[in-house]
Amino acid sequence: MKNRFVADILYQIAYLLDVKGEIFFKTRAYRIAAQTIETLAEDIETVSNENRLQSIPGVGEALAKKIKEIVETDKLEYFEKLKKEIPAGLLSLLELQGLGPKKVFALYKNLGITTIEELRNACTGGKLRDLDGFGEITERNILRGIQLREKTSGRVLLNMAYADGNSYLDYLKKCERIEKIDIAGSLHRKKETIGDLDILASSEFPDEVMDYFVKYPSVQRVLLKGSTKTSVLLNDGLQVDLRVVKKESYGSALQYFTGSKEHNVKMRSIAIKKGFKLNEYGLFDKNTDECVVGNTEEEVYNTLGLSYIEPELRENRGEIEAALDSRLPTLVKYGDIKGDLHVHSLWSDGSDSIEIIAHYAQKMGYEFVGIADHSQSLKIAQGLSEEKVLRKINAIENINKKLSGFKVLCGTECDIKPDGSLDYSDMILKKFDFVGVGIHTAFGMSGAEQTKRIVKSMENENVDFIAHPTCRMIGRREPFDIDMEKIFDAARETDTYLEINSFPDRLDLNDVHSKLAKERGVKFVIGTDSHSAVNLPFMHFGVATARRGWLEKKDILNAHSLREIEKILGCE
Ligand code: DGT
Ligand code: CA
Ligand code: CA
């Protein structure tokens, strides 16, 4: 269907006419027609071929002629001419806070400004203040708008978007006009960073839904409002797109807008091979153009001969081939986790007592929590001396006496020294219920040296897992350039678990590494690296990463029961 293609051109014409200073009602005609065509259930090509274009509300003789030209030639002379008259860069200026079409056109006519960079230079150089209708304040406002845009063009961490998304969803669920609603896009796939938030709803009253959507209290500004798509900017700079579709297309729309783009491209080619056409409106018979299914995602996948694919897998990393052969993994579930083995307490650099952590973990439904404080040489993180470790073991024994149906395990996140030796003697390491080790110093060593360092630490028989193996910090520190295959092989051979650290700026191992590690026979532990009890729910993001890495329950140490884990760790 060319519906979206036609609608896009009409929208762009409306913007260009805005900039040109055309009268409102002329640009509105293009917008209304674009919106109608976007939501039209029927193929615009069919309507055009049967000369019924003028039956579409808002389409008169002149517009019908233009639409026919687009449908038949994939181009429109009038649009090409407009684009030559008005540089395309002007459209990006329109997105800036405080700049309407009139001002954009004045900037272009008087100063020849066509790009954001030129506009920034003109503002800093004080070139705008002498223009009619502009002043020093306008210059400052525009600069602020440019800054904001730069900030929002960046991506946010998964946990931020997840919190924003859930709050927005709670608000939207109170709208009576909404039948179904879901998060789509990269947040539905639980990617580690999110560009913008996509929400999909079905309703018979899209305009009322959109009115309600833009009234959300955290909305800073409405970027675009239509009856199929509305975009807003939240106070914290995150953009949110809401799309409203009809119930019949909900499943195919959710499939389309969940992405990823790469997954969708592959899905569409499979559809074509099997005699269908797949788009956001449904799955259609290629010959009769009849809609076969569209209600649910399951139907779309199953009709194409695929088993249902969980959103976290939809990255075109082999999931479609696996679904065709019914050999997709049974992914670990968010509720499968029985405890957390990476929590810092007041004993080192955490901010809560072990009692508070235990209480919080028990309330989350866990069977155990492992306190893994830092080791002695990590002075900035108040690492524990060996003498203090012995006292802590005692303290935990006493805490456990007061708990029922729940156990605190005493562990450590022991530092791996630059030469690969550990920060505690073997005598002390043996006393812990479990030993996690990690790198916290000498980040500048070469990849080869870091590989040796980590492999050597695994050779110590007391070590149970490697914490945050690559030490990356999203947006702040690149991962070590280590030989992952060597690390995976050593982990398998020494029975060392690799951690998927759930702290939102770590997510380390990441999804891709987790999948590779599993293929090489590695087992995992998912830890939060919590530094206070309220961090414990970060587990969700670690499980999300594990799911994106195709992991199953059996691959994950802390998805086992306390009894099984005690046996595995030898700390019954
Ligand atoms: P983000 O926002 O950068 O974190 O990533 P996404 O995946 O949320 O991407 P976004 O917001 O641009 O679009 C949402 C979904 O819509 C995307 O995952 C798949 C679908 N989509 C968007 N543009 C295209 C496209 O050009 N082709 C196809 N096949 N799908 C698209
Ligand atoms: Ca998105
Ligand atoms: Ca989007």
Side-chain angles (χ1 to χ4, degrees), residues 18 136 146 151 188-189 261 284 359 454 548:
D18 273 338
E136 272 183 65
I146 294 176
K151 203 175 121 207
H188 197 198
R189 307 196 311 278
K261 211 171 181 169
F284 297 86
H359 183 71
I454 297 169
R548 289 176 57 82

Side-chain angles (χ1 to χ4, degrees), residues 155 184-189 193-199 239 241 243 257-258:
R155 306 177 65 83
S186 51
L187 181 58
H188 197 198
R189 307 196 311 278
T193 63
I194 306 294
D196 67 9
L197 226 146
D198 303 279
I199 302 178
Q239 182 180 322
D241 299 342
R243 289 179 181 83
F257 290 115
T258 293

Side-chain angles (χ1 to χ4, degrees), residues 195-478:
D196 67 9
L197 226 146
D198 303 279
I199 302 178
L200 178 74
S202 74
S203 174
E204 293 297 317
F205 306 92
D207 292 314
E208 291 175 45
V209 172
M210 294 310 189
D211 288 341
Y212 183 80
F213 176 68
V214 299
K215 284 196 196 117
Y216 183 54
S218 304
V219 166
Q220 180 200 94
R221 196 152 70 91
V222 178
L223 300 170
L224 174 154
K225 189 159 178 272
S227 50
T228 53
K229 178 179 173 184
T230 294
S231 297
V232 299
L233 197 65
L234 298 182
N235 286 327
D236 62 10
L238 191 65
Q239 182 180 322
V240 187
D241 299 342
L242 173 67
R243 289 179 181 83
V244 179
V245 299
K246 296 234 162 68
K247 184 159 74 214
E248 311 85 83
S249 323
Y250 191 77
S252 44
L254 187 57
Q255 199 283 321
Y256 181 90
F257 290 115
T258 293
S260 65
K261 211 171 181 169
E262 293 73 16
H263 176 89
N264 287 354
V265 168
K266 187 72 159 267
M267 285 290 288
R268 271 204 304 271
S269 80
I270 298 231
I272 289 166
K273 265 189 227 141
K274 301 206 168 189
F276 298 99
K277 264 189 320 194
L278 176 63
N279 56 36
E280 61 267 49
Y281 304 104
L283 184 64
F284 297 86
D285 185 305
K286 201 163 59 182
N287 299 317
T288 65
D289 259 347
E290 234 172 294
C291 180
V292 187
V293 288
N295 265 322
T296 68
E297 289 191 304
E298 279 84 353
E299 285 172 352
V300 172
Y301 283 105
N302 295 342
T303 310
L304 288 174
L306 287 84
S307 34
Y308 173 74
I309 301 176
E310 302 276 0
E312 291 92 329
L313 295 181
R314 301 183 196 170
E315 299 291 347
N316 194 24
R317 292 181 187 148
E319 72 280 7
I320 293 177
E321 293 79 355
L324 279 168
D325 297 349
S326 304
R327 54 176 172 81
L328 279 172
T330 308
L331 297 185
V332 56
K333 296 192 184 60
Y334 290 95
D336 281 343
I337 300 300
K338 306 274 193 320
D340 190 339
L341 293 177
H342 193 161
V343 183
H344 296 266
S345 75
L346 271 179
W347 284 77
S348 68
D349 58 346
S351 59
D352 283 319
S353 67
I354 294 176
E355 286 90 341
I356 286 179
I357 294 164
H359 183 71
Y360 197 107
Q362 199 168 11
K363 263 191 25 198
M364 282 173 67
Y366 284 169
E367 296 178 13
F368 60 89
V369 71
I371 308 295
D373 283 306
H374 288 292
S375 57
Q376 50 193 348
S377 70
L378 264 198
K379 299 279 190 289
I380 41 161
Q382 281 101 48
L384 271 63
S385 66
E386 297 199 338
E387 178 268 328
K388 229 172 157 187
V389 167
L390 298 176
R391 275 201 281 136
K392 185 177 146 184
I393 291 173
N394 250 326
I396 288 180
E397 271 171 20
N398 286 327
I399 291 168
N400 276 330
K401 278 181 200 149
K402 289 180 235 149
L403 295 168
S404 68
F406 187 87
K407 188 171 175 186
V408 178
L409 299 174
C410 184
T412 176
E413 183 187 11
C414 180
D415 195 43
I416 306 173
K417 294 192 189 162
D419 66 356
S421 66
L422 300 178
D423 195 21
Y424 284 133
S425 66
D426 283 346
M427 195 267 289
I428 287 289
L429 289 176
K430 278 191 208 321
K431 293 193 189 292
F432 288 109
D433 291 327
F434 66 92
V435 174
V437 296
I439 288 177
H440 302 91
T441 57
F443 293 109
M445 288 165 54
S446 74
E449 287 169 323
Q450 299 287 28
T451 307
K452 251 170 83 186
R453 184 179 180 185
I454 297 169
V455 169
K456 173 133 190 262
S457 76
M458 289 197 247
E459 285 162 359
N460 184 313
E461 58 167 20
N462 298 302
V463 171
D464 295 305
F465 69 86
I466 306 289
H468 42 73
T470 76
C471 282
R472 67 112 171 230
M473 305 278 260
I474 298 173
R476 285 189 288 145
R477 186 163 68 217
E478 287 296 310

